[in-house]
Amino acid sequence: MLQENIDYYINEDGNFVFTREYHLKRGYCCKNKCLHCPWNYGREEQSDKQAENK
């Protein structure tokens, strides 16, 4: 059973957003570029210079 604010939350638009914890429980990446993907699928890796500038 999914638990609100642990496995998901509902954003301002009324959409369900799965959390990092949910993705880790599921155990695999669905390759949909999820907002909280613990595997960072589809996100650019930061170079050392970009990380220093932040």
Side-chain angles (χ1 to χ4, degrees):
M1 171 90 68
L2 296 177
Q3 296 178 346
E4 189 171 2
N5 296 320
I6 295 174
D7 297 313
Y8 70 94
Y9 60 90
I10 301 172
N11 70 8
E12 310 82 46
D13 296 328
N15 296 317
F16 282 68
V17 180
F18 290 114
T19 63
R20 181 178 193 279
E21 289 76 20
Y22 168 79
H23 291 292
L24 289 172
K25 283 182 197 177
R26 185 176 62 191
Y28 64 91
C29 178
C30 62
K31 298 187 172 41
N32 284 320
K33 301 180 183 177
C34 298
L35 179 62
H36 300 294
C37 179
W39 297 280
N40 294 320
Y41 179 81
R43 295 203 179 96
E44 291 184 27
E45 291 185 29
Q46 290 185 356
S47 69
D48 291 334
K49 290 183 181 180
Q50 286 176 330
E52 289 174 6
N53 291 332
K54 289 189 176 188

